[in-house]
Amino acid sequence: MNFLRHQTRIMADVYRAYRFLTVPEAVGKWCKRSYEVLERMPYEQVIWRVTGSDGVTLSLSFHLMKCASKTEYCTEIHVVTTTDAANLEGYKDEVEQLLEMLRVYFNKTWVILDTDLTASQLR
């Protein structure tokens, strides 16, 4: 099975990040798509089912983790996308846009780099 992997960092603790992937009211604040939560592993993983722009069903597996041991308010989110469709690359932009909406909701214009992990606002 083919898959795509994307990642982003948001300025939130793991618990808040988890809520913003599982609670419908919270998801509605940043996400403009319909989705179905298939599976939850508290504060570690959330699996969504979404429909692509062409009607193909995608499975998005969000994996959450703290960015570094001393950064409480930075969560790294990796998304693994799978589908039965032949051309998975065609959904790359859609998944990147979804993650970008999440990042912008939390960080505004800030893209958290490795060098930013020691920033005082993340501790």
Side-chain angles (χ1 to χ4, degrees):
M1 176 178 281
N2 292 329
F3 67 91
L4 293 173
R5 187 190 66 78
H6 297 87
Q7 72 180 48
T8 193
R9 290 180 177 145
I10 61 173
M11 193 170 121
D13 63 23
V14 167
Y15 308 106
R16 186 165 187 231
Y18 179 79
R19 281 193 308 276
F20 272 75
L21 290 172
T22 58
V23 177
E25 296 79 22
V27 174
K29 291 180 180 181
W30 66 271
C31 184
K32 310 291 189 259
R33 303 192 66 136
S34 60
Y35 67 95
E36 176 186 355
V37 176
L38 297 178
E39 187 177 326
R40 303 173 191 191
M41 292 177 58
Y43 316 114
E44 291 180 20
Q45 181 182 18
V46 177
I47 300 174
W48 284 11
R49 181 180 316 171
V50 300
T51 303
S53 58
D54 59 357
V56 172
T57 301
L58 306 172
S59 175
L60 301 170
S61 181
F62 296 85
H63 299 268
L64 292 80
M65 63 183 177
K66 284 175 46 175
C67 289
S69 61
K70 294 183 180 180
T71 56
E72 181 179 349
Y73 298 106
C74 182
T75 299
E76 193 162 304
I77 300 175
H78 294 258
V79 178
V80 177
T81 307
T82 57
T83 186
D84 292 336
N87 182 15
L88 188 56
E89 278 294 317
Y91 305 100
K92 182 178 180 180
D93 290 341
E94 288 187 55
V95 176
E96 286 175 354
Q97 289 173 359
L98 184 70
L99 272 183
E100 184 66 6
M101 287 188 296
L102 179 63
R103 186 197 61 76
V104 167
Y105 179 81
F106 282 97
N107 303 1
K108 307 298 183 252
T109 59
W110 186 22
V111 176
I112 302 173
L113 304 173
D114 290 347
T115 55
D116 298 328
L117 294 178
T118 57
S120 60
Q121 65 260 42
L122 298 177
R123 292 179 180 255

